[in-house]
Every structure is written in C-alpha cells, then in structure tokens.
C-alpha cells in the first residue's frame, strides 16, 4: 500500500527506543571529522588527488569569528535588549515574517530593555542580524565537498563577511584582518589560488555592496528599464524621491534622489545619483551626496536647467569634455561602470541591451526582406545557384517570421496559414531542411494558447479548424514537434460534456479531424 511516514507511524507506533551516538554522522565514518579535518572523506575532486587540509583552518577561523561576534553582541546588545541571547533565538520569527513592521514592533516590545529610539532600534537589529550571519556561516555543506574555492565554502565566507561588515563599527580590532589570518594558512587545491587569502577578494568580498553600490545597481536598472537586474535583491527597497530624465537617440540620462530602505535593519539611506548611457556598453553612474529626506536637491536637478547646462554637449556624449562636466556637477561622487556591477547583474543588463539592439536590427532587416521578397522568389524559378549569403538571409528572416506568426503577442487573430505555409515551402526550396527547434517552441506555445481559449470561444469551430490546419501544415513540411500537451488537452475537452454538447455538427467533425491529426482514433470505442 502506498503510504507516507506519518500514516505508517500512526498505524504502527514505535515499540523500541534507539539511542543516537553523539558526535557521529551518516555521511562520515570518522565521526564529525569531515566538518573540521582532512579525514579522507571526499567527493572525488581532482580525480581523488585533492586533499581537505583547508577544513581545519576554516573551522578555526569561523570559531574565532563566532566568539568575537558573540562578545560584541553581548557588550553592545546588553543595554538594548533584556536578554540578548533570548532575543537572538526569537529573531527567527521576525525573519520568517519577512521583517514586517508590525512583527518587528511586537518583537521589540517583548525584548527591548527600554523604549528605544530609531538609531538604537537600528543598532539592536544590526547586532541581531550579525548573529544570524554567524549561524549561517556554519552551514554544513561548506565542509562536505572537496575545494575551499568551491561554491559552498565561499558562500559561508560571504556570510562571515556580512557579519563582520555589520559589527565592525562596534569592534575594537579589524575583524576582517583577523579572519584572513586563518585563510593565509590554507593551501587550496585549485591552482588559481596560492592561499585561501587569494580567494577572498575574488569570490567573497566581490559580493559585498555598500549603499552607494546598491544605489548604482538600482539606477542602472531604472535608467535602462531592466527590473530583472534586481530580481535577486531581497533588500533594500528602492524609491526615487525625485528624478529627472533626458533622452535622445543614443543617449539616456537620469538624475535621481534615491531612497534605500532596509527593513532588516530599520534603516534608510539617501543618495544622489547621475547616470548616463550613450549606447553599446558605455554606462557611467555617479553616486554621492548622501543626505536625509529633507535635503534640498542641487540646482541643476531640474529638466530645463540640466538641459541648458549640458547644451551642445548632449550631441557629443562620447567627448571627454562631456564627462568632465558631469564630474564637475558631482565632484565628490563615486563612479561606477558596467564592470562594477555584480556579475549576474552585469550579464542581465547586457542581455537586455543586446536584445533591444537585436529587435531594432530585426525590424530594419524585416522591412528590407519583404521589399525584396518577390525578387528572391522569382530568382528561385530557374535562376543561378543559391549563394551562401542568400541562404543565410532567407534562413534568418524565415525563422524570424515563423516565430512572429506563432508568438503569444499575435494570438489575437487567426494564424495566416497561407503565409506560414509559403515560408516553410520557400525554406525547403532553398535546401534548408526542417529544423525542429525552429517550430517546436513556438508551436507548443501556440497550441497551448488556442486550447486554453477553446472552452470560452464564441466560434470554437474556427479555432478547431485552425488547429487542424496548422498541425497538418507543419507535418506536411516535415517538422516534428512534441504534441503530448495538445493530446492531453484534446482528450480533456473531448470528455467535457459542457463543451462537446455546445458544438455544431460541423464543429464536432472539426474536433474529430483535430483528434485524427493528433494521433487519436476518435471513431473507435
């Protein structure tokens, strides 16, 4: 009988008691040594030649940091929290709530030693967050695998890095330098790193962002309309208090007063930013002048005034004098470029920019292609041999047009089967063959959308006819694609009496023809 643990235990309660041997694990025969020494257990890295001697210094370094963080937490948190460690244990409820303000208020009401001011609340939450990072940095999988520069150990060190960032203002010594002294004693297996210390700037500190760098990411996403750039940012929450935008061909400018709210720490930061994008990979962001919400913006932060100040220089954004002028507007600002963004953010942004350029190029190419299509077709009627350039142009444009005909944006009207068939025929006449990925993806999307619309359609017969015609056309041209999704939907609809009862005799026949096209035998019982 198929069951689960809860059901099984309810039927057959335990009748014996087992004792677990302390300091043992299921994945290491050496007790707990896998998490603190070169015990010999490994996952086969370097064909089994790598060692795990780095485990001991990593464990020792994190133990040292844990004790330093605990001392700071008790010393600084004592005057703010009734029982710092009880508050630490219950901090999980605030975390699981998503740091909701109401839950935070209830949490502080239970644990605050007295009524706390805004700065004291931020300090208390900062200390608690450092303890959360102190727990995270001992995540088990960091020691499980073979190499200190791997994803898991470096992620633990990032937690350690964040913990030190949070409490460094309260520390008497440089915590980062203290932790790095342990990294110096490590010998990574990866030849790219001489010691564990080499890993720190490349794989650990590179993921650390202060509020200025966070502002640069926000402004880049806002300027270039790329919100996906920030999809992995859980905190902070961004808002433009005020913004000025200038735009023309090959030039976008955004000046903004940006507010960053960090709900974890109940802290709000403000920065002034000026960003310029002049095409390709030419992005520069100036971030500076941190201030409060009551600070007046600079005089140039006005659309008319900024346009007047830039004047003729707007026509030559690649001229060095243009950039010198911007730097004069914000002389004490920090400069960020594409290279300064987090790697995945940089990739996301570049993907967005490339896609925009490709869409523009596609539009121009489509216009030229259709203007010359009659000539291309006529040339196939016994003309000279097909050149590689003609084949390449037609392949690219035919694929673009086929995908356009079948994309969700165009599903508001029937598919032009004649146009689609012509494209497939012409593609075949050029000897391009039947490329399955060309049709398979758009076809699945197209079929799914049509089947979704069928139950509510005023004229289901026309949609059924379109579906059958589409499948027959694609098969006729030798394109194979997965139809199991469409088969399941057809079978569901065919058994849905509220749908089949409303079909006309003609529509029922079209439903039958569609079933045949999908590989069913509707007449058999």
């Amino acid at each position: 009988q198929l069951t689960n643990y809860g059901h099984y235990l309810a039927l057959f309660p335990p009748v014996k008691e087992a004792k677990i041997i302390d300091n043992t694990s299921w994945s290491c025969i050496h007790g707990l040594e896998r998490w603190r020494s070169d015990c010999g257990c490994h996952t086969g890295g370097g064909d089994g030649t790598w060692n795990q001697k780095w485990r001991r210094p990593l464990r020792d370094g994190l133990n040292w940091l844990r004790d330093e963080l605990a001392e700071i937490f008790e010393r600084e948190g004592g005057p703010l929290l009734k029982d710092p460690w009880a508050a630490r244990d219950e901090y999980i409820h605030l975390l699981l709530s998503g740091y909701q303000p109401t839950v935070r208020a209830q949490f502080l009401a239970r644990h605050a030693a007295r009524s706390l001011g805004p700065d004291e609340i931020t300090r208390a939450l900062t200390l608690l967050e450092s303890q959360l990072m102190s727990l995270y940095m001992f995540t088990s999988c960091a020691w499980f695998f073979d190499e200190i520069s791997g994803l898991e150990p470096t992620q633990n060190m990032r937690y350690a890095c964040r913990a030190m960032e949070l409490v460094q203002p309260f520390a008497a010594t440089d915590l980062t330098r203290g932790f790095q002294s342990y990294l110096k004693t490590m010998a990574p297996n990866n030849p790219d790193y001489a010691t564990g210390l080499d890993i720190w700037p490349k794989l650990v500190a590179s993921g650390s962002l202060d509020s200025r760098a966070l502002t640069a990411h926000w402004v880049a996403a806002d300027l270039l309309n790329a919100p996906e750039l920030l999809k992995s940012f859980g905190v902070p929450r961004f808002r433009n208090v005020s913004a000025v935008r200038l735009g023309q061909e090959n030039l976008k400018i955004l000046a903004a007063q940006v507010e960053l709210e960090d709900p974890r720490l109940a802290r709000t930061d403000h920065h002034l930013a000026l960003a310029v994008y002049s095409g390709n990979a030419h992005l520069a962001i100036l971030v500076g002048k941190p201030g409060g919400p009551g600070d007046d913006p600079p005089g140039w932060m006005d659309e008319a005034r900024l346009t007047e100040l830039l004047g003729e220089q707007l026509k030559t954004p690649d001229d060095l004098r243009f950039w010198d002028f911007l730097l004069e507007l914000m002389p004490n600002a920090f400069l960020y470029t594409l290279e300064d963004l987090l790697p995945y953010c940089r990739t996301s942004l570049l993907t967005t920019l490339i896609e925009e350029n490709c869409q523009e190029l596609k539009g121009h190419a489509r216009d030229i292609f259709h203007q010359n299509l009659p000539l291309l077709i006529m040339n196939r009627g016994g003309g000279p041999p097909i050149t590689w350039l003609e084949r390449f142009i037609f392949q690219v444009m035919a694929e673009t047009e086929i995908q356009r005909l079948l994309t969700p944006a165009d599903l508001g009207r029937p598919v032009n089967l004649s146009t689609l068939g012509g494209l497939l025929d012409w593609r075949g006449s050029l000897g391009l063959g039947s490329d399955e990925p060309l049709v398979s993806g758009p076809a699945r999307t197209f079929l799914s959308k049509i089947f979704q619309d069928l139950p509510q359609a005023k004229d289901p017969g026309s949609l059924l006819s379109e579906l059958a015609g589409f499948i027959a056309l694609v098969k006729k041209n030798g394109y194979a694609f997965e139809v199991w999704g469409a088969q399941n939907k057809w079978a569901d609809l065919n058994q849905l009496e509220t749908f089949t009862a409303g079909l006309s005799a003609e529509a029922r026949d079209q439903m039958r023809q569609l079933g045949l096209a999908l590989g069913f035998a509707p007449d058999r019982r």
Side-chain angles (χ1 to χ4, degrees), residues 332-346:
N332 299 316
F334 286 76
L335 174 63
Y336 298 89
T337 68
L338 269 174
E339 291 298 319
D340 299 309
L341 301 182
L342 289 176
Y344 80 87
C345 292
R346 183 168 59 249

Side-chain angles (χ1 to χ4, degrees), residues 451 454 463-464 467-468 471 490 509-520:
F451 272 110
L454 264 173
L463 290 179
L464 289 166
L467 277 170
I471 292 172
W490 182 91
D509 183 63
Q510 289 164 339
M511 183 70 174
R512 174 181 171 278
Q513 293 299 325
L514 177 58
L516 289 171
L518 289 171
F520 288 97

Side-chain angles (χ1 to χ4, degrees), residues 161-162 165 204-217 230 233 235-236 238 267 336 340-345:
C161 180
R162 177 59 176 160
E165 286 177 349
V204 181
S206 60
S208 176
L209 300 177
D210 59 19
S211 62
R212 287 186 298 264
L214 286 168
T215 297
H217 282 74
L230 302 172
F233 282 37
V235 288
F238 302 93
R267 185 179 72 191
Y336 298 89
D340 299 309
L341 301 182
L342 289 176
Y344 80 87
C345 292

Side-chain angles (χ1 to χ4, degrees), residues 22-25 27-41 51-63 66 138-145 156 182 186:
D22 288 339
N23 296 319
T24 62
S25 72
S27 58
C28 176
I29 62 172
H30 311 101
L32 299 181
E33 294 309 303
R34 185 167 197 156
W35 290 267
R36 61 192 179 197
S37 71
D38 184 15
C39 68
C41 290
N51 67 72
Q52 289 74 44
K53 293 179 181 179
W54 52 267
R55 287 177 182 163
R56 171 53 64 185
L58 179 60
R59 171 65 64 175
D60 289 345
L62 292 178
N63 284 343
R66 175 200 61 204
F138 287 104
T139 302
S140 173
C141 56
W143 287 267
F144 194 84
F145 299 97
N156 277 29
Y182 292 88
M186 298 179 187

Side-chain angles (χ1 to χ4, degrees), residues 167-406:
V167 303
Q168 188 57 60
F170 315 128
T173 60
D174 187 335
L175 295 176
T176 300
R177 182 173 296 180
F179 181 72
Q180 288 177 340
S181 66
Y182 292 88
L183 301 183
K184 292 179 182 178
T185 66
M186 298 179 187
N189 294 291
N190 188 333
D192 292 340
Y193 307 101
T195 72
L197 187 59
D198 295 329
I199 295 170
W200 188 265
K202 296 180 181 179
L203 302 180
V204 181
S206 60
S208 176
L209 300 177
D210 59 19
S211 62
R212 287 186 298 264
L214 286 168
T215 297
H217 282 74
W218 159 255
V219 171
D222 189 15
L223 174 68
L224 299 174
N225 192 28
E228 64 278 2
L229 186 151
L230 302 172
K231 66 181 180 180
S232 296
F233 282 37
V235 288
R237 298 165 184 160
F238 302 93
R239 182 174 74 92
N240 285 348
V241 178
S242 59
V244 173
R245 301 176 191 273
L246 301 179
Q248 59 185 47
E249 187 175 2
N250 297 326
L251 180 64
K252 294 180 180 180
I253 298 176
L254 170 63
Q257 285 183 300
V258 181
E259 178 183 274
L260 295 79
E261 179 193 359
D262 188 341
R264 290 186 177 224
L265 308 181
R267 185 179 72 191
T268 302
D269 293 314
H270 295 83
H271 290 288
L272 182 66
L274 179 60
V276 179
Y277 176 66
S278 56
N280 291 321
H282 302 149
L283 172 69
I285 305 167
L286 295 170
V287 181
K289 194 182 178 293
D295 287 3
D296 293 328
W300 53 262
M301 195 169 166
D302 173 84
E303 183 174 351
R305 178 60 177 155
L306 188 57
T307 302
E308 179 185 354
L309 286 171
L310 295 175
E312 290 297 313
Q313 298 180 79
L314 286 171
K315 299 178 181 178
T316 56
D318 294 326
D319 194 305
L320 288 177
R321 288 172 297 179
F322 177 77
W323 295 100
D324 289 340
F325 181 77
L326 295 179
L327 289 171
E328 289 176 8
L329 293 179
M330 298 180 65
N332 299 316
F334 286 76
L335 174 63
Y336 298 89
T337 68
L338 269 174
E339 291 298 319
D340 299 309
L341 301 182
L342 289 176
Y344 80 87
C345 292
R346 183 168 59 249
T347 300
S348 174
L349 192 56
L350 287 172
T351 300
T352 298
L353 296 175
I354 291 171
E355 179 63 25
E356 288 179 358
N357 289 335
C358 286
Q359 290 301 328
E360 185 177 356
L361 289 172
K362 278 184 179 180
H364 293 314
R366 186 184 298 119
D367 293 341
I368 297 172
F369 176 75
H370 283 295
Q371 290 171 10
N372 294 277
L373 185 57
L375 180 62
L376 289 170
I377 296 173
M378 186 177 296
N379 189 40
R380 290 303 98 234
I386 300 169
T387 65
W388 72 267
L389 182 59
E390 184 183 357
R391 180 180 284 109
F392 172 76
I393 292 173
F394 196 89
Q395 178 170 0
V396 171
M397 292 314 306
E399 291 182 5
T400 300
E401 286 297 279
I402 290 169
Q403 292 182 27
R404 183 189 66 81
L405 285 169
L406 299 176

